[in-house]
């Protein structure tokens, strides 16, 4: 699908606004337009391209680098910095959840609900833990604070034989 765009500067500028489409948007594009609009984000070409890769392929965990590679393979020529910026904007808007699995690399999860993960060390893979994990008690927040979220990451490595 060809997208014609014009550049309209704004404070959250992440590329040109989508001024018009040559034909009515397909259902996937329409879904992305609605997601971005509901999150208060302008539907720029970059956001729509990355949104389609992220939100039209089911629940997934991506890194900026893996999403960048997908974008390049889909001929959506974006810089790695644009991918990082867009992922951060999607996270701030509540469309993604950032998971720092190893303290260095961040994964972005399209399922923003509270759920635990397995991190496969040495393979750089993040996987949802199947249902059944339950906490009987979580700690009290420090005075003057509240718990914003709870992240549980179980690190796994292959057994040595």
């Amino acid at each position: 699908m060809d997208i014609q765009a014009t550049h309209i500067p704004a404070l959250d500028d992440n590329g040109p606004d989508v001024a018009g489409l040559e034909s009515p948007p397909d259902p996937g594009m329409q879904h992305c337009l609605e997601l971005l609009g509901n999150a208060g984000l302008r539907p720029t070409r970059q956001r729509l391209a990355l949104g389609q890769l992220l939100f039209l392929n089911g629940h997934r965990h991506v890194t900026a680098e893996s999403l960048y590679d997908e974008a390049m393979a889909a001929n959506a020529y974006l810089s790695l910095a644009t991918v990082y910026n867009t992922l951060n904007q999607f996270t701030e808007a509540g469309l993604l959840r950032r998971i720092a699995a190893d303290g260095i690399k961040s994964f972005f999860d399209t399922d923003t609900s509270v759920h635990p993960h397995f991190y496969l060390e040495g393979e750089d893979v993040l996987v949802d833990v199947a249902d059944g994990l339950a906490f009987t008690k979580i700690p009290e927040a420090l005075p003057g604070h509240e718990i914003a979220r709870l992240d549980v990451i179980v690190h796994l490595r292959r057994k040595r034989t």
Side-chain angles (χ1 to χ4, degrees), residues 5-145:
T6 29
H7 182 68
I8 302 171
L11 293 176
D12 71 338
D13 193 25
N14 192 27
D17 278 340
V18 175
L21 303 173
E22 290 182 3
S23 59
D26 62 52
M29 176 69 78
Q30 186 61 41
H31 177 68
C32 285
L33 286 165
E34 289 172 11
L35 276 175
L36 293 175
N38 291 339
L41 295 172
R42 290 184 306 116
T44 63
R45 179 185 62 81
Q46 294 90 339
R47 288 179 183 148
L48 285 169
L50 294 175
Q52 288 181 84
L53 291 172
L54 284 167
F55 305 120
L56 300 183
N57 295 314
H59 169 66
R60 53 198 306 229
H61 304 100
V62 299
T63 62
E65 292 79 9
S66 69
L67 186 59
Y68 171 77
D69 291 342
E70 285 183 45
M72 295 305 286
N75 295 322
Y77 299 107
L78 308 168
S79 70
L80 183 57
T82 296
V83 173
Y84 271 106
N85 289 338
T86 303
L87 287 170
N88 288 328
Q89 291 165 356
F90 285 0
T91 300
E92 289 171 17
L95 297 174
L96 295 173
R97 184 171 179 196
R98 179 193 311 272
I99 309 220
D102 64 359
I104 298 171
K105 182 178 287 187
S106 288
F107 287 86
F108 295 86
D109 192 345
T110 58
D111 179 355
T112 59
S113 69
V114 175
H115 61 280
H117 294 91
F118 285 126
Y119 175 66
L120 308 179
E121 292 181 353
E123 299 175 44
D124 282 338
V125 175
L126 193 69
V127 180
D128 290 340
V129 173
D131 291 339
L133 181 66
F135 294 94
T136 57
K137 185 176 181 186
I138 60 172
E140 292 288 327
L142 297 173
H145 294 81

